[in-house]
Amino acid sequence: MPEILRISTDRSEEDILLRAAAIVAGGGVIGYPTETFYGLGADATQEQAIKRIFQIKGRNFSNPLPLLIGFRQDIYSLAQKIPEKAEILMDAFWPGPLTIVFEAVPHLSQLLTAKSGKIGIRQSGHKGARKIAEKAGRPLTATSANLSGMPECQTADQVIAQLGDRLDAVVDLQGGNSALGSTIIDITFENPKILRAGVISREDIEQKTGLTVIP
Protein backbone atom coordinates (compact mmCIF):
# COMPACT_ATOMS: atom_id res chain seq x y z
CA MET A 1 0.00 0.00 0.00
CA PRO A 2 1.16 3.56 -0.62
CA GLU A 3 1.74 5.87 2.33
CA ILE A 4 -1.59 7.59 3.07
CA LEU A 5 -1.13 11.25 3.94
CA ARG A 6 -4.15 12.55 5.82
CA ILE A 7 -4.87 15.05 8.55
CA SER A 8 -5.05 13.58 12.07
CA THR A 9 -4.74 14.70 15.68
CA ASP A 10 -0.96 14.60 15.42
CA ARG A 11 -0.56 15.52 11.73
CA SER A 12 -1.61 18.88 10.29
CA GLU A 13 -2.32 19.72 6.66
CA GLU A 14 1.03 21.52 6.59
CA ASP A 15 2.75 18.34 7.75
CA ILE A 16 1.21 16.15 5.06
CA LEU A 17 1.94 18.68 2.30
CA LEU A 18 5.57 18.91 3.43
CA ARG A 19 5.81 15.11 3.39
CA ALA A 20 4.25 14.94 -0.08
CA ALA A 21 6.69 17.56 -1.36
CA ALA A 22 9.64 15.66 0.11
CA ILE A 23 8.54 12.44 -1.62
CA VAL A 24 8.26 14.27 -4.96
CA ALA A 25 11.65 15.98 -4.54
CA GLY A 26 13.16 12.58 -3.75
CA GLY A 27 11.98 11.12 -7.05
CA GLY A 28 8.76 9.54 -5.81
CA VAL A 29 5.26 9.62 -7.31
CA ILE A 30 2.17 10.71 -5.40
CA GLY A 31 -1.56 10.91 -5.99
CA TYR A 32 -2.80 14.38 -5.07
CA PRO A 33 -6.08 16.30 -5.27
CA THR A 34 -6.73 19.20 -7.62
CA GLU A 35 -9.81 21.34 -8.25
CA THR A 36 -10.93 18.80 -10.86
CA PHE A 37 -9.60 15.21 -10.55
CA TYR A 38 -6.79 13.60 -8.58
CA GLY A 39 -3.45 13.93 -10.34
CA LEU A 40 -0.24 11.89 -10.50
CA GLY A 41 2.58 14.05 -9.22
CA ALA A 42 6.26 13.57 -9.94
CA ASP A 43 9.17 15.98 -10.22
CA ALA A 44 9.04 17.13 -13.85
CA THR A 45 12.81 17.76 -13.81
CA GLN A 46 13.67 14.09 -13.05
CA GLU A 47 13.60 11.83 -16.11
CA GLN A 48 13.22 8.60 -14.12
CA ALA A 49 10.31 10.00 -12.15
CA ILE A 50 8.60 11.04 -15.40
CA LYS A 51 9.07 7.53 -16.82
CA ARG A 52 7.38 6.08 -13.74
CA ILE A 53 4.24 8.10 -14.52
CA PHE A 54 3.91 6.34 -17.88
CA GLN A 55 4.58 2.94 -16.27
CA ILE A 56 2.02 3.55 -13.50
CA LYS A 57 -0.73 4.64 -15.91
CA GLY A 58 0.13 2.21 -18.69
CA ARG A 59 0.27 5.28 -20.91
CA ASN A 60 1.75 5.56 -24.39
CA PHE A 61 4.90 7.71 -24.65
CA SER A 62 3.31 9.55 -27.59
CA ASN A 63 0.99 11.35 -25.13
CA PRO A 64 2.36 14.51 -23.51
CA LEU A 65 2.17 15.20 -19.77
CA PRO A 66 0.84 18.55 -18.51
CA LEU A 67 2.50 20.31 -15.59
CA LEU A 68 1.29 22.10 -12.48
CA ILE A 69 3.25 24.97 -10.95
CA GLY A 70 3.20 26.53 -7.50
CA PHE A 71 3.98 30.12 -8.42
CA ARG A 72 3.00 31.91 -11.60
CA GLN A 73 6.59 33.01 -12.24
CA ASP A 74 7.61 29.33 -12.48
CA ILE A 75 6.45 29.36 -16.11
CA TYR A 76 9.60 31.28 -17.11
CA SER A 77 11.77 28.19 -16.60
CA LEU A 78 9.39 26.05 -18.67
CA ALA A 79 8.10 28.20 -21.55
CA GLN A 80 10.23 29.87 -24.22
CA LYS A 81 8.06 32.98 -24.34
CA ILE A 82 4.96 34.31 -22.63
CA PRO A 83 2.89 36.23 -25.19
CA GLU A 84 0.43 38.91 -24.13
CA LYS A 85 -2.56 36.64 -24.81
CA ALA A 86 -1.13 34.16 -22.29
CA GLU A 87 -0.80 36.91 -19.68
CA ILE A 88 -4.44 37.86 -20.31
CA LEU A 89 -5.56 34.26 -19.84
CA MET A 90 -3.51 33.83 -16.67
CA ASP A 91 -4.85 37.08 -15.21
CA ALA A 92 -8.41 35.88 -15.85
CA PHE A 93 -8.23 32.20 -14.88
CA TRP A 94 -5.17 31.39 -12.75
CA PRO A 95 -5.15 29.87 -10.24
CA GLY A 96 -7.78 27.63 -11.81
CA PRO A 97 -8.64 24.79 -14.20
CA LEU A 98 -7.10 26.26 -17.35
CA THR A 99 -4.08 24.48 -18.84
CA ILE A 100 -2.20 26.75 -21.23
CA VAL A 101 0.03 25.22 -23.91
CA PHE A 102 3.27 27.13 -24.54
CA GLU A 103 6.38 26.58 -26.64
CA ALA A 104 8.60 24.53 -24.33
CA VAL A 105 12.15 25.47 -23.40
CA PRO A 106 14.63 23.24 -25.27
CA HIS A 107 15.98 21.43 -22.20
CA LEU A 108 12.58 20.17 -21.06
CA SER A 109 12.20 16.38 -21.20
CA GLN A 110 10.75 15.15 -24.48
CA LEU A 111 8.71 12.67 -22.45
CA LEU A 112 6.74 15.67 -21.18
CA THR A 113 6.27 17.24 -24.60
CA ALA A 114 5.92 14.00 -26.60
CA LYS A 115 8.50 15.60 -28.94
CA SER A 116 5.97 18.28 -29.90
CA GLY A 117 8.06 21.20 -28.64
CA LYS A 118 5.06 22.31 -26.56
CA ILE A 119 4.18 22.03 -22.89
CA GLY A 120 0.85 22.43 -21.08
CA ILE A 121 1.04 24.32 -17.77
CA ARG A 122 -1.48 25.37 -15.14
CA GLN A 123 -1.47 26.93 -11.71
CA SER A 124 -4.06 24.86 -9.90
CA GLY A 125 -6.99 26.38 -8.07
CA HIS A 126 -6.50 23.75 -5.34
CA LYS A 127 -4.44 25.21 -2.51
CA GLY A 128 -2.98 21.85 -1.49
CA ALA A 129 -1.81 21.04 -5.02
CA ARG A 130 -0.13 24.45 -5.35
CA LYS A 131 1.51 24.08 -1.93
CA ILE A 132 3.06 20.73 -2.85
CA ALA A 133 4.65 22.27 -5.95
CA GLU A 134 5.76 25.31 -3.94
CA LYS A 135 7.31 23.25 -1.15
CA ALA A 136 8.98 20.79 -3.56
CA GLY A 137 10.37 23.71 -5.55
CA ARG A 138 9.67 21.75 -8.74
CA PRO A 139 6.91 21.63 -11.35
CA LEU A 140 4.64 18.62 -10.87
CA THR A 141 3.30 16.32 -13.52
CA ALA A 142 -0.46 16.79 -13.60
CA THR A 143 -1.90 13.91 -15.57
CA SER A 144 -4.98 12.30 -14.02
CA ALA A 145 -4.39 9.60 -11.38
CA ASN A 146 -5.94 6.62 -13.12
CA LEU A 147 -5.03 3.73 -15.37
CA SER A 148 -5.23 4.67 -19.05
CA GLY A 149 -8.77 4.07 -20.26
CA MET A 150 -10.23 3.93 -16.75
CA PRO A 151 -12.37 6.62 -15.05
CA GLU A 152 -10.69 9.60 -13.40
CA CYS A 153 -10.54 9.60 -9.60
CA GLN A 154 -12.02 12.22 -7.28
CA THR A 155 -11.06 10.70 -3.93
CA ALA A 156 -7.99 9.15 -2.33
CA ASP A 157 -9.84 5.82 -1.94
CA GLN A 158 -10.57 5.71 -5.67
CA VAL A 159 -6.89 6.33 -6.45
CA ILE A 160 -5.83 3.55 -4.09
CA ALA A 161 -8.39 1.16 -5.58
CA GLN A 162 -7.11 1.76 -9.12
CA LEU A 163 -3.39 2.19 -8.61
CA GLY A 164 -2.73 0.42 -5.31
CA ASP A 165 0.91 0.14 -4.35
CA ARG A 166 2.19 1.54 -7.67
CA LEU A 167 2.39 4.91 -5.88
CA ASP A 168 4.67 6.03 -3.07
CA ALA A 169 1.94 8.08 -1.37
CA VAL A 170 -1.60 9.40 -1.74
CA VAL A 171 -2.61 12.77 -0.29
CA ASP A 172 -6.05 12.38 1.27
CA LEU A 173 -7.55 15.88 1.07
CA GLN A 174 -10.82 17.17 -0.32
CA GLY A 175 -10.53 17.71 -4.06
CA GLY A 176 -12.85 18.88 -6.77
CA ASN A 177 -16.07 17.12 -7.72
CA SER A 178 -16.17 18.24 -11.33
CA ALA A 179 -17.27 15.86 -14.07
CA LEU A 180 -14.81 17.60 -16.38
CA GLY A 181 -11.06 18.14 -16.37
CA SER A 182 -9.22 21.38 -16.95
CA THR A 183 -9.75 23.18 -20.24
CA ILE A 184 -6.64 22.98 -22.42
CA ILE A 185 -5.89 25.97 -24.65
CA ASP A 186 -2.92 26.33 -27.02
CA ILE A 187 -1.58 29.90 -27.33
CA THR A 188 1.10 29.08 -29.91
CA PHE A 189 -1.40 29.82 -32.71
CA GLU A 190 -2.33 33.31 -33.89
CA ASN A 191 -5.63 32.90 -32.04
CA PRO A 192 -5.75 30.67 -28.94
CA LYS A 193 -7.10 27.22 -29.78
CA ILE A 194 -9.00 24.91 -27.43
CA LEU A 195 -7.48 21.43 -27.53
CA ARG A 196 -9.77 19.97 -24.87
CA ALA A 197 -13.07 21.33 -23.63
CA GLY A 198 -13.29 21.32 -19.84
CA VAL A 199 -14.55 23.23 -16.83
CA ILE A 200 -14.01 26.63 -18.46
CA SER A 201 -16.02 27.15 -21.64
CA ARG A 202 -14.88 28.93 -24.80
CA GLU A 203 -17.67 31.46 -24.27
CA ASP A 204 -16.44 32.18 -20.75
CA ILE A 205 -12.88 32.67 -22.00
CA GLU A 206 -13.98 35.06 -24.74
CA GLN A 207 -16.25 37.02 -22.39
CA LYS A 208 -13.63 37.46 -19.68
CA THR A 209 -10.62 38.13 -21.93
CA GLY A 210 -11.91 39.66 -25.17
CA LEU A 211 -9.80 37.11 -27.06
CA THR A 212 -11.05 35.26 -30.13
CA VAL A 213 -10.76 31.55 -29.38
CA ILE A 214 -10.73 28.72 -31.93
CA PRO A 215 -12.94 25.84 -30.71
Side-chain angles (χ1 to χ4, degrees):
M1 286 286 291
E3 182 178 353
I4 310 302
L5 303 176
R6 60 168 57 101
I7 299 170
S8 63
T9 53
D10 58 353
R11 203 170 203 185
S12 67
E13 181 173 322
E14 181 75 5
D15 291 334
I16 67 174
L17 295 178
L18 278 169
R19 175 59 181 155
I23 291 170
V24 168
V29 178
I30 64 170
Y32 67 98
T34 74
E35 72 274 39
T36 55
F37 306 121
Y38 258 74
L40 282 183
D43 178 356
T45 69
Q46 295 190 42
E47 194 80 356
Q48 284 303 119
I50 298 168
K51 286 179 180 178
R52 277 194 64 197
I53 295 291
F54 288 92
Q55 292 164 356
I56 288 166
K57 283 182 68 76
R59 185 177 179 133
N60 191 297
F61 283 108
S62 64
N63 293 318
L65 293 181
L67 302 182
L68 186 151
I69 56 176
F71 300 103
R72 178 162 161 173
Q73 60 264 31
D74 294 340
I75 60 174
Y76 294 106
S77 64
L78 301 168
Q80 284 197 49
K81 55 187 176 182
I82 315 298
E84 183 182 3
K85 55 196 169 187
E87 298 280 6
I88 292 170
L89 288 165
M90 291 185 288
D91 287 343
F93 296 106
W94 278 13
L98 184 71
T99 298
I100 303 175
V101 177
F102 298 87
E103 292 181 14
V105 293
H107 63 264
L108 208 60
S109 170
Q110 292 195 3
L111 290 177
L112 297 173
T113 65
K115 300 182 180 180
S116 67
K118 298 181 181 183
I119 187 69
I121 305 169
R122 99 174 188 263
Q123 186 186 33
S124 176
H126 191 284
K127 180 182 175 183
R130 288 200 311 276
K131 288 289 184 182
I132 294 170
E134 290 173 14
K135 294 176 185 302
R138 323 283 168 84
L140 296 178
T141 57
T143 187
S144 56
N146 61 303
L147 296 170
S148 287
M150 294 291 287
E152 292 88 355
C153 298
Q154 294 179 331
T155 68
D157 287 342
Q158 289 173 356
V159 175
I160 295 164
Q162 269 203 50
L163 300 176
D165 56 8
R166 298 184 186 203
L167 305 179
D168 297 298
V170 177
V171 180
D172 188 0
L173 286 176
Q174 181 69 40
N177 56 5
S178 170
L180 298 172
S182 69
T183 298
I184 302 178
I185 189 166
D186 190 332
I187 52 83
T188 66
F189 297 95
E190 182 176 351
N191 290 319
K193 180 178 181 179
I194 289 181
L195 302 184
R196 183 182 75 187
V199 175
I200 301 171
S201 69
R202 176 174 66 91
E203 292 76 16
D204 197 19
I205 293 172
E206 292 186 330
Q207 278 186 356
K208 288 189 177 180
T209 66
L211 297 170
T212 299
V213 178
I214 303 170

mmCIF file of all heavy atoms in Angstrom, residues 36-63:
data_model
loop_
_atom_site.group_PDB
_atom_site.id
_atom_site.type_symbol
_atom_site.label_atom_id
_atom_site.label_comp_id
_atom_site.label_asym_id
_atom_site.label_seq_id
_atom_site.Cartn_x
_atom_site.Cartn_y
_atom_site.Cartn_z
ATOM 1 N N THR A 36 -10.126 19.652 -9.988
ATOM 2 C CA THR A 36 -10.933 18.797 -10.865
ATOM 3 C C THR A 36 -10.798 17.345 -10.400
ATOM 4 O O THR A 36 -11.552 16.890 -9.565
ATOM 5 C CB THR A 36 -10.512 18.965 -12.334
ATOM 6 O OG1 THR A 36 -9.092 18.711 -12.479
ATOM 7 C CG2 THR A 36 -10.825 20.365 -12.829
ATOM 8 N N PHE A 37 -9.822 16.599 -10.937
ATOM 9 C CA PHE A 37 -9.598 15.213 -10.550
ATOM 10 C C PHE A 37 -8.301 15.088 -9.752
ATOM 11 O O PHE A 37 -7.510 16.011 -9.681
ATOM 12 C CB PHE A 37 -9.492 14.329 -11.796
ATOM 13 C CG PHE A 37 -10.652 14.444 -12.739
ATOM 14 C CD1 PHE A 37 -10.467 14.838 -14.057
ATOM 15 C CD2 PHE A 37 -11.944 14.160 -12.310
ATOM 16 C CE1 PHE A 37 -11.539 14.945 -14.924
ATOM 17 C CE2 PHE A 37 -13.022 14.257 -13.176
ATOM 18 C CZ PHE A 37 -12.813 14.655 -14.489
ATOM 19 N N TYR A 38 -8.095 13.895 -9.167
ATOM 20 C CA TYR A 38 -6.790 13.596 -8.577
ATOM 21 C C TYR A 38 -5.746 13.505 -9.684
ATOM 22 O O TYR A 38 -6.033 13.012 -10.781
ATOM 23 C CB TYR A 38 -6.835 12.275 -7.809
ATOM 24 C CG TYR A 38 -6.932 12.447 -6.302
ATOM 25 C CD1 TYR A 38 -8.123 12.852 -5.714
ATOM 26 C CD2 TYR A 38 -5.826 12.232 -5.479
ATOM 27 C CE1 TYR A 38 -8.220 13.020 -4.335
ATOM 28 C CE2 TYR A 38 -5.911 12.400 -4.108
ATOM 29 C CZ TYR A 38 -7.109 12.791 -3.539
ATOM 30 O OH TYR A 38 -7.185 12.973 -2.184
ATOM 31 N N GLY A 39 -4.544 13.985 -9.386
ATOM 32 C CA GLY A 39 -3.445 13.930 -10.341
ATOM 33 C C GLY A 39 -2.332 13.014 -9.875
ATOM 34 O O GLY A 39 -2.253 12.654 -8.694
ATOM 35 N N LEU A 40 -1.464 12.636 -10.817
ATOM 36 C CA LEU A 40 -0.244 11.889 -10.495
ATOM 37 C C LEU A 40 0.910 12.872 -10.503
ATOM 38 O O LEU A 40 1.223 13.463 -11.539
ATOM 39 C CB LEU A 40 0.010 10.789 -11.524
ATOM 40 C CG LEU A 40 -0.800 9.505 -11.417
ATOM 41 C CD1 LEU A 40 -0.344 8.518 -12.490
ATOM 42 C CD2 LEU A 40 -0.667 8.879 -10.028
ATOM 43 N N GLY A 41 1.536 13.045 -9.346
ATOM 44 C CA GLY A 41 2.577 14.054 -9.215
ATOM 45 C C GLY A 41 3.968 13.471 -9.095
ATOM 46 O O GLY A 41 4.242 12.645 -8.218
ATOM 47 N N ALA A 42 4.836 13.903 -9.991
ATOM 48 C CA ALA A 42 6.255 13.570 -9.938
ATOM 49 C C ALA A 42 7.032 14.825 -10.294
ATOM 50 O O ALA A 42 6.493 15.750 -10.904
ATOM 51 C CB ALA A 42 6.589 12.436 -10.912
ATOM 52 N N ASP A 43 8.294 14.851 -9.904
ATOM 53 C CA ASP A 43 9.167 15.978 -10.223
ATOM 54 C C ASP A 43 9.421 15.997 -11.724
ATOM 55 O O ASP A 43 10.047 15.092 -12.278
ATOM 56 C CB ASP A 43 10.486 15.813 -9.458
ATOM 57 C CG ASP A 43 11.493 16.905 -9.734
ATOM 58 O OD1 ASP A 43 11.237 17.785 -10.579
ATOM 59 O OD2 ASP A 43 12.565 16.875 -9.091
ATOM 60 N N ALA A 44 8.937 17.042 -12.391
ATOM 61 C CA ALA A 44 9.042 17.128 -13.854
ATOM 62 C C ALA A 44 10.457 17.428 -14.332
ATOM 63 O O ALA A 44 10.679 17.517 -15.540
ATOM 64 C CB ALA A 44 8.079 18.187 -14.380
ATOM 65 N N THR A 45 11.408 17.559 -13.401
ATOM 66 C CA THR A 45 12.811 17.756 -13.806
ATOM 67 C C THR A 45 13.606 16.456 -13.696
ATOM 68 O O THR A 45 14.785 16.429 -14.028
ATOM 69 C CB THR A 45 13.485 18.841 -12.946
ATOM 70 O OG1 THR A 45 13.653 18.361 -11.603
ATOM 71 C CG2 THR A 45 12.683 20.126 -12.943
ATOM 72 N N GLN A 46 12.978 15.378 -13.208
ATOM 73 C CA GLN A 46 13.667 14.094 -13.051
ATOM 74 C C GLN A 46 13.145 13.085 -14.078
ATOM 75 O O GLN A 46 11.983 12.663 -14.007
ATOM 76 C CB GLN A 46 13.468 13.544 -11.634
ATOM 77 C CG GLN A 46 14.086 14.392 -10.537
ATOM 78 C CD GLN A 46 14.069 13.686 -9.197
ATOM 79 O OE1 GLN A 46 14.343 12.484 -9.101
ATOM 80 N NE2 GLN A 46 13.738 14.417 -8.136
ATOM 81 N N GLU A 47 13.997 12.703 -15.010
ATOM 82 C CA GLU A 47 13.600 11.828 -16.109
ATOM 83 C C GLU A 47 13.040 10.492 -15.619
ATOM 84 O O GLU A 47 12.028 10.004 -16.133
ATOM 85 C CB GLU A 47 14.787 11.595 -17.041
ATOM 86 C CG GLU A 47 14.430 10.978 -18.377
ATOM 87 C CD GLU A 47 13.885 11.975 -19.393
ATOM 88 O OE1 GLU A 47 13.701 13.159 -19.043
ATOM 89 O OE2 GLU A 47 13.632 11.568 -20.536
ATOM 90 N N GLN A 48 13.679 9.901 -14.617
ATOM 91 C CA GLN A 48 13.224 8.599 -14.124
ATOM 92 C C GLN A 48 11.849 8.701 -13.470
ATOM 93 O O GLN A 48 11.025 7.803 -13.611
ATOM 94 C CB GLN A 48 14.237 8.010 -13.138
ATOM 95 C CG GLN A 48 15.484 7.442 -13.804
ATOM 96 C CD GLN A 48 15.163 6.374 -14.834
ATOM 97 O OE1 GLN A 48 15.474 6.505 -16.014
ATOM 98 N NE2 GLN A 48 14.517 5.305 -14.393
ATOM 99 N N ALA A 49 11.616 9.805 -12.776
ATOM 100 C CA ALA A 49 10.306 10.005 -12.150
ATOM 101 C C ALA A 49 9.223 10.160 -13.217
ATOM 102 O O ALA A 49 8.115 9.635 -13.072
ATOM 103 C CB ALA A 49 10.350 11.227 -11.242
ATOM 104 N N ILE A 50 9.555 10.866 -14.295
ATOM 105 C CA ILE A 50 8.600 11.035 -15.399
ATOM 106 C C ILE A 50 8.272 9.680 -16.030
ATOM 107 O O ILE A 50 7.106 9.374 -16.304
ATOM 108 C CB ILE A 50 9.162 11.993 -16.456
ATOM 109 C CG1 ILE A 50 9.403 13.381 -15.863
ATOM 110 C CG2 ILE A 50 8.208 12.097 -17.657
ATOM 111 C CD1 ILE A 50 10.230 14.299 -16.759
ATOM 112 N N LYS A 51 9.281 8.855 -16.229
ATOM 113 C CA LYS A 51 9.070 7.533 -16.818
ATOM 114 C C LYS A 51 8.130 6.692 -15.955
ATOM 115 O O LYS A 51 7.306 5.926 -16.473
ATOM 116 C CB LYS A 51 10.402 6.809 -16.997
ATOM 117 C CG LYS A 51 11.247 7.354 -18.139
ATOM 118 C CD LYS A 51 12.572 6.600 -18.252
ATOM 119 C CE LYS A 51 13.422 7.148 -19.393
ATOM 120 N NZ LYS A 51 14.736 6.461 -19.481
ATOM 121 N N ARG A 52 8.248 6.843 -14.641
ATOM 122 C CA ARG A 52 7.380 6.084 -13.740
ATOM 123 C C ARG A 52 5.916 6.437 -13.942
ATOM 124 O O ARG A 52 5.046 5.577 -13.797
ATOM 125 C CB ARG A 52 7.785 6.332 -12.284
ATOM 126 C CG ARG A 52 8.945 5.481 -11.803
ATOM 127 C CD ARG A 52 9.043 5.540 -10.285
ATOM 128 N NE ARG A 52 7.870 4.967 -9.631
ATOM 129 C CZ ARG A 52 7.566 5.204 -8.344
ATOM 130 N NH1 ARG A 52 8.328 5.989 -7.606
ATOM 131 N NH2 ARG A 52 6.486 4.638 -7.816
ATOM 132 N N ILE A 53 5.632 7.695 -14.272
ATOM 133 C CA ILE A 53 4.242 8.100 -14.519
ATOM 134 C C ILE A 53 3.647 7.265 -15.650
ATOM 135 O O ILE A 53 2.524 6.752 -15.551
ATOM 136 C CB ILE A 53 4.158 9.603 -14.862
ATOM 137 C CG1 ILE A 53 4.591 10.463 -13.673
ATOM 138 C CG2 ILE A 53 2.746 9.973 -15.317
ATOM 139 C CD1 ILE A 53 3.649 10.438 -12.503
ATOM 140 N N PHE A 54 4.398 7.124 -16.740
ATOM 141 C CA PHE A 54 3.908 6.338 -17.883
ATOM 142 C C PHE A 54 3.731 4.870 -17.493
ATOM 143 O O PHE A 54 2.763 4.215 -17.901
ATOM 144 C CB PHE A 54 4.881 6.464 -19.053
ATOM 145 C CG PHE A 54 4.857 7.803 -19.730
ATOM 146 C CD1 PHE A 54 5.709 8.821 -19.342
ATOM 147 C CD2 PHE A 54 3.968 8.052 -20.766
ATOM 148 C CE1 PHE A 54 5.679 10.060 -19.964
ATOM 149 C CE2 PHE A 54 3.925 9.286 -21.395
ATOM 150 C CZ PHE A 54 4.783 10.292 -20.992
ATOM 151 N N GLN A 55 4.677 4.351 -16.696
ATOM 152 C CA GLN A 55 4.580 2.944 -16.267
ATOM 153 C C GLN A 55 3.373 2.739 -15.361
ATOM 154 O O GLN A 55 2.644 1.745 -15.494
ATOM 155 C CB GLN A 55 5.872 2.549 -15.543
ATOM 156 C CG GLN A 55 7.086 2.505 -16.443
ATOM 157 C CD GLN A 55 8.396 2.506 -15.673
ATOM 158 O OE1 GLN A 55 8.424 2.610 -14.441
ATOM 159 N NE2 GLN A 55 9.512 2.389 -16.388
ATOM 160 N N ILE A 56 3.137 3.665 -14.440
ATOM 161 C CA ILE A 56 2.022 3.550 -13.502
ATOM 162 C C ILE A 56 0.682 3.570 -14.232
ATOM 163 O O ILE A 56 -0.206 2.774 -13.956
ATOM 164 C CB ILE A 56 2.089 4.682 -12.452
ATOM 165 C CG1 ILE A 56 3.243 4.441 -11.480
ATOM 166 C CG2 ILE A 56 0.775 4.808 -11.691
ATOM 167 C CD1 ILE A 56 3.594 5.642 -10.622
ATOM 168 N N LYS A 57 0.540 4.482 -15.193
ATOM 169 C CA LYS A 57 -0.732 4.636 -15.908
ATOM 170 C C LYS A 57 -0.908 3.609 -17.023
ATOM 171 O O LYS A 57 -2.025 3.378 -17.478
ATOM 172 C CB LYS A 57 -0.816 6.043 -16.525
ATOM 173 C CG LYS A 57 -1.143 7.137 -15.527
ATOM 174 C CD LYS A 57 -1.256 8.486 -16.225
ATOM 175 C CE LYS A 57 -2.445 8.602 -17.152
ATOM 176 N NZ LYS A 57 -3.729 8.797 -16.441
ATOM 177 N N GLY A 58 0.204 3.031 -17.482
ATOM 178 C CA GLY A 58 0.130 2.208 -18.686
ATOM 179 C C GLY A 58 -0.112 3.077 -19.891
ATOM 180 O O GLY A 58 -0.859 2.726 -20.812
ATOM 181 N N ARG A 59 0.528 4.253 -19.900
ATOM 182 C CA ARG A 59 0.267 5.279 -20.908
ATOM 183 C C ARG A 59 1.311 5.229 -22.016
ATOM 184 O O ARG A 59 2.477 4.953 -21.782
ATOM 185 C CB ARG A 59 0.289 6.660 -20.231
ATOM 186 C CG ARG A 59 -0.075 7.817 -21.138
ATOM 187 C CD ARG A 59 -0.092 9.114 -20.351
ATOM 188 N NE ARG A 59 -0.411 10.263 -21.181
ATOM 189 C CZ ARG A 59 -1.295 11.186 -20.855
ATOM 190 N NH1 ARG A 59 -1.977 11.077 -19.730
ATOM 191 N NH2 ARG A 59 -1.517 12.211 -21.638
ATOM 192 N N ASN A 60 0.870 5.528 -23.230
ATOM 193 C CA ASN A 60 1.751 5.560 -24.394
ATOM 194 C C ASN A 60 2.666 6.784 -24.337
ATOM 195 O O ASN A 60 2.231 7.879 -23.994
ATOM 196 C CB ASN A 60 0.890 5.598 -25.660
ATOM 197 C CG ASN A 60 1.702 5.354 -26.908
ATOM 198 O OD1 ASN A 60 2.588 6.129 -27.246
ATOM 199 N ND2 ASN A 60 1.389 4.276 -27.610
ATOM 200 N N PHE A 61 3.931 6.607 -24.690
ATOM 201 C CA PHE A 61 4.898 7.709 -24.646
ATOM 202 C C PHE A 61 4.597 8.798 -25.684
ATOM 203 O O PHE A 61 5.200 9.869 -25.645
ATOM 204 C CB PHE A 61 6.322 7.193 -24.861
ATOM 205 C CG PHE A 61 6.910 6.524 -23.646
ATOM 206 C CD1 PHE A 61 7.086 5.146 -23.622
ATOM 207 C CD2 PHE A 61 7.269 7.258 -22.533
ATOM 208 C CE1 PHE A 61 7.621 4.521 -22.496
ATOM 209 C CE2 PHE A 61 7.806 6.649 -21.408
ATOM 210 C CZ PHE A 61 7.984 5.273 -21.396
ATOM 211 N N SER A 62 3.665 8.537 -26.596
ATOM 212 C CA SER A 62 3.311 9.555 -27.590
ATOM 213 C C SER A 62 2.358 10.605 -27.011
ATOM 214 O O SER A 62 2.052 11.591 -27.676
ATOM 215 C CB SER A 62 2.675 8.903 -28.826
ATOM 216 O OG SER A 62 1.448 8.284 -28.487
ATOM 217 N N ASN A 63 1.890 10.389 -25.794
ATOM 218 C CA ASN A 63 0.994 11.345 -25.134
ATOM 219 C C ASN A 63 1.784 12.272 -24.217
ATOM 220 O O ASN A 63 2.534 11.796 -23.362
ATOM 221 C CB ASN A 63 -0.070 10.608 -24.304
ATOM 222 C CG ASN A 63 -1.033 9.830 -25.169
ATOM 223 O OD1 ASN A 63 -1.475 10.315 -26.200
ATOM 224 N ND2 ASN A 63 -1.359 8.616 -24.761
#
